[in-house]
């Protein structure tokens, strides 16, 4: 088992109603409080005044509700052992969020130049920025800040595109492991000299494949030092930046190592048309033919998937990373979440920093709900109402978006996370609804559990996220004096 628990990263703020913790230096193994989760798509469950017990590996061993005969005895026993943490009234545990698509080196670019078209944004801003990550010190500075930021927003598991540089990609995995975040990290392959700038691409296809194998080996070694796990991801940037030989080689590596795969799948009209012109088939079909659409594949965007593409995803077990904010800028379309879910496609939520400007999955939950309604209703009032929308029921509820950000991401990654169920890792964020200036109590009005959760999902600010737990360990505490 791993070494010492990571030190929690902290951010200063005014004190509020704090979680009652065991004595300093003692890790709690029992959590008493009220917890929301979404074990089934579209349904929310409140575990009110539940006792969640966690074993030494950080895995949930028991969930006991007040009507259980041994409820009081279990609480008394944890209290006596000095391992009980109590969430006060007005605070709620939510599962840690799973962000399925983040470009870590684009963090300095978040919110910048989003008025540019995608090709200008990439060539003038993104590629020169990503190229700077061959400077390990610069990379460390940015990556540490990003990991800390994501933990502070309740994100406990992240699937990262690093850059084209191998050493700093490995460093990102190490930084996340040390900060206590569960990270899946890929070194980005861009091996086609005709498609990428000379200053930012792989030296050769052979080198790109060798670097990917090295990443898998190095991250496997990092994984042995961290309780929450660390995973390497085979990462062709997207079909237009890779050679056929590179794509096929990456497919073979993924199969040989049973590795995760990530890429972009028809992010926008240009990519969709490019792949059609190059191969005479859809992006999904081409990725499948290269062995890249498989179990543990995470494909970002997927806004142009046809019904038969959706079947291919469902059959192979590949998952969609839905990036609603990014899609509003660069996709020229909206991902049909409800249609793909009805086909049985695995799907979670993602920020797509920095095509999406916000590092918060809360912002993306909100936007996922809003764009799904615009997809259903349409947006141009000059078109008659019966023809204005997508012609199918597309709207999703906040409960569905909450599922995408938690259990859906877990299902996409095939990891035992995302809900408060026995056998899953205790990954949690503690939300305080009584923070001055960020009050989510609703003043005693509309206090049904679903109303409480909706206020949290739609109105919470970073101030409301008091603690973030990963694999039973405290990874972030707002206002902690520990540095
Ligand atoms: Zn992306």
């Amino acid at each position: 088992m791993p070494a010492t628990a990571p030190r929690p990263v902290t951010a200063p703020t005014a004190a509020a109603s704090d979680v009652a913790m065991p004595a300093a230096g003692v890790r709690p193994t029992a959590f008493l409080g009220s917890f929301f989760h979404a074990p089934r798509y579209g349904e929310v469950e409140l575990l009110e005044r539940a006792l969640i017990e966690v074993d030494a590996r950080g895995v949930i061993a028991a969930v006991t509700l007040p009507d259980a005969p041994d409820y009081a005895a279990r609480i008394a026993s944890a209290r006596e052992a000095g391992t009980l943490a109590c969430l006060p009234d007005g605070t709620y545990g939510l599962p840690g969020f799973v962000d399925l698509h983040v470009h870590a080196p684009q963090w300095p670019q978040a919110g910048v130049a989003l008025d540019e078209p995608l090709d200008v944004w990439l060539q003038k801003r993104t590629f020169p920025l990503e190229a700077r990550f061959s400077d390990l010190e610069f990379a460390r500075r940015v990556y540490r800040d990003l990991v800390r930021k994501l933990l502070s927003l309740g994100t406990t598991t992240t699937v990262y595109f690093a850059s084209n540089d191998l050493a700093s990609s490995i460093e990102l995995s190490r930084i996340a492991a040390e900060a206590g975040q569960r990270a899946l990290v890929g070194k980005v392959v861009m091996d086609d000299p005709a498609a990428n700038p000379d200053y930012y691409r792989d030296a050769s296809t052979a080198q790109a494949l060798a670097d990917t194998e090295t990443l898998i080996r190095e991250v496997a070694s990092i994984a042995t030092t961290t309780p929450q796990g660390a995973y390497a991801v085979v990462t062709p940037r997207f079909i237009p930046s890779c050679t056929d030989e590179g794509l096929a080689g990456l497919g073979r590596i993924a199969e040989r190592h049973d590795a995760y795969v990530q890429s972009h799948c028809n992010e926008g009209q240009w990519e969709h048309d490019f792949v059609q012109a190059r191969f005479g088939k859809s992006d999904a079909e081409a990725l499948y033919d290269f062995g890249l659409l498989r179990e543990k594949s995470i494909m970002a965007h997927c806004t142009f998937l046809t019904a038969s593409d959706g079947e291919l995803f469902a059959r192979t077990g590949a998952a969609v990373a839905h990036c609603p904010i990014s899609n509003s800028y660069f996709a020229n379309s909206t991902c049909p979440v409800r249609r793909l879910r009805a086909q049985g496609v695995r799907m979670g939520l993602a920020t797509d920093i920095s095509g999406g400007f916000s590092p918060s999955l809360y912002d993306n939950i909100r936007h996922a709900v809003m764009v799904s309604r615009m997809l259903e209703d349409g947006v141009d009032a000059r078109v008659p109402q019966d023809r204005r929308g997508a012609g199918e029921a597309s709207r999703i509820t906040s409960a569905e978006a909450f599922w995408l950000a938690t259990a859906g991401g877990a299902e996409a990654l095939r990891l035992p996370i995302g809900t408060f169920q026995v056998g899953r890792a205790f990954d949690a964020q503690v939300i305080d609804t009584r923070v001055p200036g960020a009050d989510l109590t609703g003043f005693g009005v509309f206090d049904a559990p679903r109303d409480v959760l909706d206020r949290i999902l739609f109105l919470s600010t970073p101030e409301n996220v008091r603690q973030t737990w990963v694999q039973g360990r405290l990874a972030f505490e707002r206002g902690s004096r520990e540095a």
Side-chain angles (χ1 to χ4, degrees), residues 6 21 59 74 83 87 118 120 123 139 150 161 180 184 210 217 251 280 303 370 378 383 399 462 480 482:
M21 295 281 279
V59 174
R74 280 173 178 266
T83 55
L87 279 59
L118 182 59
V120 175
Q123 300 291 342
L150 294 175
F161 270 59
L184 300 88
R217 217 170 31 247
T303 49
M370 289 189 282
V383 179
S480 162
E482 296 174 58

Side-chain angles (χ1 to χ4, degrees), residues 324-337:
I325 294 180
S326 171
N327 287 169
S328 295
Y329 283 94
F330 295 125
N332 318 112
S333 55
T334 296
C335 181
V337 173

Side-chain angles (χ1 to χ4, degrees), residues 101 103 264 267 300-301 352:
H101 187 59
H103 293 269
H264 301 85
E267 173 163 7
H301 308 300
D352 191 22

Side-chain angles (χ1 to χ4, degrees), residues 185-420:
V185 176
K187 173 228 130 44
V188 180
V189 171
M190 307 160 66
D191 70 315
D192 187 348
N196 300 293
D198 285 343
Y199 68 85
Y200 189 55
R201 62 177 167 81
D202 294 285
S204 65
T205 300
Q207 189 63 51
L209 300 181
D211 283 356
T212 299
E213 299 254 24
T214 303
L215 177 88
I216 291 171
R217 217 170 31 247
E218 292 291 325
V219 173
S221 158
I222 292 167
T224 64
T225 69
T226 170
Q228 71 274 10
Y231 305 86
V233 189
V234 172
T235 307
R237 182 170 207 112
F238 61 166
I239 283 179
S241 61
C242 297
T243 63
D244 290 9
E245 192 191 349
L247 293 164
L250 291 174
R252 285 193 296 274
I253 289 172
E255 183 171 23
R256 188 156 61 241
H257 296 277
D258 187 26
Y260 284 97
V261 176
Q262 64 181 340
S263 194
H264 301 85
C265 181
N266 48 44
E267 173 163 7
Q269 189 71 50
W270 177 83
E271 185 189 351
H272 178 62
D273 294 345
F274 179 97
V275 176
Q276 279 288 349
R278 178 163 154 189
F279 296 114
K281 59 181 79 160
S282 75
D283 218 340
E285 291 163 341
L287 289 162
Y288 176 75
D289 288 350
F290 285 117
L292 294 164
L293 211 61
R294 56 201 309 280
E295 282 187 10
K296 294 161 71 175
S297 287
I298 309 296
M299 293 296 157
H301 308 300
C302 299
T303 49
F304 288 74
L305 292 191
T306 62
S308 100
D309 289 338
E311 275 171 38
L312 192 54
F313 267 71
R315 181 156 56 80
T316 57
V320 171
H322 177 37
C323 313
I325 294 180
S326 171
N327 287 169
S328 295
Y329 283 94
F330 295 125
N332 318 112
S333 55
T334 296
C335 181
V337 173
R338 197 155 169 197
R339 181 188 347 134
L340 295 175
R341 283 293 308 155
Q343 285 190 285
V345 175
R346 289 167 190 256
M347 183 177 273
L349 205 57
T351 57
D352 191 22
I353 294 167
S354 64
F357 56 81
S358 171
S360 166
L361 276 180
Y362 284 100
D363 286 341
N364 279 277
I365 284 172
R366 297 157 193 168
H367 205 65
V369 171
M370 289 189 282
V371 296
S372 76
R373 300 180 75 100
M374 294 167 89
L375 180 63
E376 179 169 320
D377 290 342
V379 295
D380 187 349
R382 293 170 300 181
V383 179
Q385 188 177 10
D386 59 346
R387 287 189 280 119
R388 200 178 300 148
E392 59 188 18
S394 306
R395 68 178 63 188
I396 63 170
T397 63
S398 58
E400 288 168 274
F402 178 53
W403 181 91
L404 290 172
T406 54
E411 190 178 290
L413 297 175
R414 296 164 192 269
L415 290 174
I417 54 176
T419 64
F420 296 116

